[in-house]
Structure formats: C-alpha cells, structure tokens
Amino acid sequence: MAEVLSQDEIDALLSAISTGEVNLEEAKSIEEEKKVKVYDFKRPDKLSKDQLRTIQMIHETFARLNTTMLSAQLRSAIQIQVISVDQITYEEFIRSIPEFTILGIFDVGSLEGNAILEMNPNIVYTIIDRLFGGPGEMIDLSRELTDIELTVIERVILKLLNNLKESWSNIIEVSPRIEQIESNPQFVQVVGPNEMVVLVTFEVKIGSVEGMMNICLPYPMIDPIVSKLSAQYWFSSVRKEMTKENLGALKSRLNKVNVPLIANLGKAIVSLNDLLKLKQGDVLKLNQSANKNLDISVGNKLKFKATPGTVGKKMAITIKEVLEEGSD
C-alpha cells in the first residue's frame, strides 16, 4: 500500500526539490530500481500464495487427524504440526533429506503420478519401538529395516496416508496406495530433477523424540486441480449441501439430545419468615392468571405458549402457540 504524505511533508519535499537538496532524476532512478525483482527461470513459481495457504490448511487437517490416530495407537503423547509449505525443485528436495531415510512412494488414484511421504529415521524407529512394547526413546540407527520392521512401518505409513482422504475431500476424492518403501533417496525418481514440487514439512514429536516428516507433491500431479486450490473454493466445499444420509444421521442424533423444558407458572413474592413457615397444603398466590397462556422455554429461549391442566393425577400443559424466531 502506498504511503500517504501529509501536507507539511509535501511542502517540505517540494521545497527540497526547488532548492536542489533533492535530485528528482536520482529519486526516479531509485524508485525504478526498487521495482526490479530477481526471478529465477529455473525455479518458476507455479502456485500463488493463496493456493499455498490452501494446501497448508488441507495438511493442517491431515496433521490433526494423524496426531489423534498415532496417539491412540502408540499410547503416547504425539504432536504433529505443519511448519512450512514451499515450492522447490525435485533435486533440491532430494538433497535436503538425509542419505538414509524412510520414503513411502504412493499414488492417490484420482491423479496421475506418484508423491512421496518421507519420515526421519528417528521417528520411524521410535514408532517401531513403541509398537514392539519399548519406551520409545531416541534410537540412533542407520541400518536397513528388517522385513518385520518394514511390514510394520508400511502399515503405519498406510494409516497416515489414509487420513489424506478426509483432509483432501473438499478438493478431490483420493485413495492413497503405497507403491514401494525405499531408504535411499537416490533410488527414488518420481519426476525430473528440475521439475517443481510442493513440499509440505511437518514437525513430529513423540514423547521426548523429535523429527521431521515431509510430503512431496510433484506439480504435474496436482496441475489438474490447481484451479480448485483456493481458499474460496475450499470454504465453499466445506459448506456444501449435506447428503440425505448425513442429514438422516444428524436428525437421528439430535432426537437423542436431552434439553430442559420449563413452564413458567408465574411468580410470587414472600418474606423469608413466611417462606420458613410454609407447610404442606399452603397456597401461594402467583402473579399469573390461570386462564392466561403460560410461557414455555426450551433451554433459555422462549418457544411456546401453553395452558396448564392435568392428565390423570399429573400436571400437564397444552401447547397453544409455537413462537417463531424473532417473535415477541
């Protein structure tokens, strides 16, 4: 946003230009220099800031779902949060991760190409240790996973990826499926080295152990849905019309909710002395006529007008009027 000058500042600037204190041509050249922005054609920005924010919101949901899932499965305090969403080349991604790491190559079914879920070995071995009954403390191992460990961690990764279904559901339906598990990044080539990717980085805490987890989404894979990656589309999808099944389930749950129903019979003012002397059979005169409709509240909101009466030996009311929203 341009800075707005006061009248005194404008007068001072004009005075400086007229006296030669400020060189107008020099000021123009400085302004032109400020407009020049360095652009690297080897790293073109494919997505806007708004689209990157949408991807971040999607994966914040993914992080929350997996925090709950891993906490229940490992019976330990888990915290997963998104710390960055960046556009980089695939080569930069491969160089940024350790030489020995755990890479789950997967496809999402509805989009062409493969994506990568990368997990730091510290996190992987801690998860395995917890699942095998250990304390889940820091383990510094740089060895290949055994067949049993590979099977265990593959199931964990699949459970993590399954939560992409819900987090991406407002944009596109996905069905993640693991293609392979690798430990050497040099053996994984899902796109060309100079192809742009979206890198979503998570910080994972399992007890006292911390590590990083990354999801690498190649741009060619998400290109068909780029137009949907906007906050407006995402929020409008969240408010999409409910299906009959969802509406029926919601009504069924609401029917089981207990709410207080209060019939206001009237009020009476008595002294504390009279209140203490009350006994069975005493009558209090209320300020409400027996022939006048009573106020019936649901919770703390006035909802009905009714007349009092009895059904057998029990007190009852007959609804005479339903008050609509905004009625007096």
Side-chain angles (χ1 to χ4, degrees):
M1 181 177 177
E3 183 180 356
V4 179
L5 300 179
S6 66
Q7 188 59 47
D8 291 339
E9 290 173 327
I10 294 173
D11 294 338
L13 181 59
L14 293 174
S15 176
I17 293 173
S18 62
T19 58
E21 293 180 14
V22 175
N23 190 322
L24 188 58
E25 294 300 324
E26 183 180 349
K28 286 182 179 180
S29 63
I30 292 174
E31 182 64 24
E32 289 176 358
E33 288 178 5
K34 289 182 179 179
K35 293 180 180 179
V36 176
K37 181 181 178 181
V38 178
Y39 187 83
D40 188 353
F41 286 93
K42 294 181 181 179
R43 295 185 53 187
D45 289 340
K46 301 275 190 174
L47 301 175
S48 66
K49 291 182 179 180
D50 180 55
Q51 290 168 332
L52 291 177
R53 280 195 297 269
T54 302
I55 292 176
Q56 180 172 341
M57 287 188 292
I58 290 170
H59 288 91
E60 283 174 350
T61 301
F62 174 77
R64 287 194 298 270
L65 293 172
N66 281 317
T67 296
T68 303
M69 185 273 291
L70 282 179
S71 296
Q73 189 168 11
L74 303 183
R75 299 179 182 273
S76 179
I78 309 291
Q79 183 178 355
I80 304 175
Q81 58 182 358
V82 179
I83 59 173
S84 67
V85 178
D86 301 301
Q87 299 181 76
I88 61 175
T89 64
Y90 181 72
E91 184 180 12
E92 288 174 320
F93 163 64
I94 292 298
R95 289 203 311 263
S96 68
I97 58 180
E99 293 182 1
F100 175 79
T101 187
I102 307 302
L103 298 156
I105 298 92
F106 67 96
D107 68 50
V108 295
S110 53
L111 299 173
E112 294 185 4
N114 292 330
I116 298 174
L117 174 68
E118 184 266 335
M119 299 179 69
N120 187 279
N122 288 339
I123 297 299
V124 171
Y125 285 119
T126 300
I127 291 174
I128 292 174
D129 187 53
R130 286 291 302 172
L131 291 175
F132 286 174
E137 297 175 350
M138 177 72 75
I139 302 175
D140 187 13
L141 295 175
S142 297
R143 60 169 175 81
E144 294 288 338
L145 294 175
T146 65
D147 290 341
I148 295 177
E149 290 172 338
L150 186 62
T151 301
V152 170
I153 202 62
E154 184 174 346
R155 291 179 180 176
V156 172
I157 291 176
L158 184 58
K159 288 183 178 180
L160 291 171
L161 294 176
N162 278 338
N163 284 323
L164 285 175
K165 293 180 181 180
E166 184 173 344
S167 57
W168 278 87
S169 61
N170 295 323
I171 302 296
I172 188 174
E173 292 185 7
V174 298
S175 300
R177 181 182 60 184
I178 296 176
E179 295 286 339
Q180 65 184 98
I181 303 292
E182 285 287 348
S183 58
N184 190 337
Q186 302 304 320
F187 294 158
V188 179
Q189 192 74 32
V190 294
V191 288
N194 295 324
E195 190 65 64
M196 296 300 294
V197 300
V198 175
L199 182 65
V200 185
T201 302
F202 303 85
E203 182 183 52
V204 183
K205 295 181 180 179
I206 304 176
S208 59
V209 179
E210 298 183 12
M212 309 302 291
M213 181 173 72
N214 295 297
I215 289 182
C216 173
L217 302 170
Y219 182 79
M221 186 181 78
I222 62 175
D223 183 45
I225 59 169
V226 164
S227 60
K228 298 181 179 180
L229 295 176
S230 65
Q232 182 178 1
Y233 184 92
W234 191 77
F235 284 118
S236 65
S237 298
V238 172
R239 297 191 298 268
K240 63 185 177 181
E241 185 177 354
M242 297 182 66
T243 63
K244 290 183 179 179
E245 292 79 7
N246 290 339
L247 190 58
L250 182 59
K251 286 183 177 179
S252 176
R253 292 179 183 178
L254 286 175
N255 287 334
K256 298 177 182 178
V257 175
N258 294 321
V259 292
L261 188 68
I262 301 171
N264 186 4
L265 301 178
K267 298 178 182 179
I269 299 176
V270 296
S271 66
L272 180 59
N273 185 45
D274 291 338
L275 180 64
L276 294 174
K277 293 179 180 178
L278 285 176
K279 59 183 182 296
Q280 185 175 356
D282 288 346
V283 176
L284 287 176
K285 186 176 181 181
L286 304 179
N287 64 347
Q288 175 80 10
S289 172
N291 299 322
K292 189 176 179 182
N293 289 340
L294 305 177
D295 290 340
I296 309 299
S297 299
V298 177
N300 59 353
K301 291 189 176 181
L302 184 62
K303 190 64 180 175
F304 306 107
K305 291 288 187 177
T307 55
T310 59
V311 175
K313 295 183 179 181
K314 296 182 179 181
M315 298 181 66
I317 57 171
T318 301
I319 302 296
K320 293 295 185 180
E321 182 183 356
V322 178
L323 301 179
E324 299 297 334
E325 191 71 26
S327 298
D328 294 334

